[in-house]
Amino acid sequence: RRALSFLSTMHERSIERNIITRNSAISACGRGSAWPAALQLLDSLKSCSLEPDIITQNSLLSAVSKSGHWELCVSLFDEMQTAKVKGDVITYNALLTAFEKTGAWPPALELLETMQGAEVLPDSLTFSAAMGCLGRAGEWPRALELLESMSTCRVEKSTVCLNVVLTACERRGVWRQAFDVLGRLASE
C-alpha cells in the first residue's frame, strides 16, 4: 500500500514515474502479497506508454506466483512471449513456484522442457521448486529423477533440493528410497 501511495504522491508532485519506480512498486506489491495491485500497476504502466521489461515481468510473476495462481502466471508468461520479452531463470523459477504451491506437476515438467528449448540454464531453485511440486503431488519417483538429473545439468545438489526429495519420500512412506538417495549422494 505504501508503494502505491508513494506513486500517487509522485504524480501529485509532478515527479516523473518511470519504469524503474513502477517496477519497484510492483516488486513491493509482491512482497506484501498484493498481487492484484501489481496487476493494476502493469495496466497503468501500459496506459502511460511504458513498455514492461524483464524486471517488470519477473516482479509481476513473482507477486502472482506467491498466491499460487499458476494459470494467471502462465497467462502473464504467454503475454511476455507475445511481447518478445525473453524470460530468464528468474521468470521460470517464479512460474515453477506457482506450480509448486498447488502441486500442478504436468505444467511444471512442460515448463522445464520449455526452459531447455529457450536455452535458459536452470539453477538449484529451479530444481527445488519443480521437485517440490512433484512431491506435493505424490510424484516422488519423478522428484528422484529430477534430483539425479541435476548433475547432467551441472547444477549442484543443494541441501534444499535434497530435503525436498526426502520430504516427498517421507510423505509417501517410502523410506528405503530416501535412504538409497542419501547413500548415493554420500558416495558422490
Side-chain angles (χ1 to χ4, degrees):
R1 294 177 197 234
R2 290 190 336 183
L4 297 175
S5 175
F6 182 70
L7 281 178
S8 180
T9 301
M10 287 179 72
H11 177 70
E12 291 166 6
R13 295 184 181 173
S14 299
I15 299 171
E16 179 186 9
R17 296 171 295 159
N18 59 22
I19 191 78
I20 296 168
T21 56
R22 290 175 193 261
N23 285 349
S24 295
I26 290 171
S27 181
C29 288
R31 286 190 301 276
S33 300
W35 62 269
L39 288 172
Q40 288 176 339
L41 284 168
L42 177 67
D43 289 340
S44 74
L45 191 132
K46 291 176 181 177
S47 70
C48 294
S49 300
L50 293 171
E51 285 298 316
D53 60 13
I54 188 66
I55 296 168
T56 311
Q57 299 293 0
N58 286 345
S59 297
L60 188 60
L61 280 171
S62 292
V64 175
S65 73
K66 291 174 186 170
S67 69
H69 292 302
W70 67 266
E71 297 95 342
L72 179 55
C73 286
V74 169
S75 176
L76 292 168
F77 180 72
D78 290 345
E79 286 179 27
M80 270 179 75
Q81 301 211 302
T82 300
K84 306 282 189 243
V85 177
K86 185 181 181 332
D88 59 15
V89 70
I90 296 167
T91 310
Y92 288 91
N93 288 349
L95 280 160
L96 286 166
T97 298
F99 296 143
E100 181 183 18
K101 297 268 186 214
T102 60
W105 66 271
L109 293 182
E110 274 182 46
L111 186 66
L112 289 176
E113 289 179 21
T114 301
M115 191 175 184
Q116 276 185 317
E119 298 179 351
V120 176
L121 298 176
D123 60 14
S124 64
L125 181 59
T126 308
F127 282 97
S128 67
M131 289 184 286
C133 182
L134 290 164
R136 181 177 292 268
E139 294 290 327
W140 62 268
R142 292 177 194 263
L144 284 170
E145 288 173 18
L146 269 184
L147 182 68
E148 297 294 330
S149 74
M150 289 178 74
S151 298
T152 307
C153 296
R154 298 181 185 189
V155 177
E156 187 175 329
K157 293 176 178 114
S158 69
T159 304
V160 172
C161 291
L162 181 58
N163 285 337
V164 166
V165 170
L166 291 175
T167 299
C169 290
E170 181 268 331
R171 283 182 180 155
R172 292 295 186 212
V174 288
W175 287 105
R176 179 172 166 79
Q177 288 80 355
F179 286 125
D180 287 347
V181 169
L182 286 173
R184 281 195 305 273
L185 290 175
S187 67
E188 285 183 8

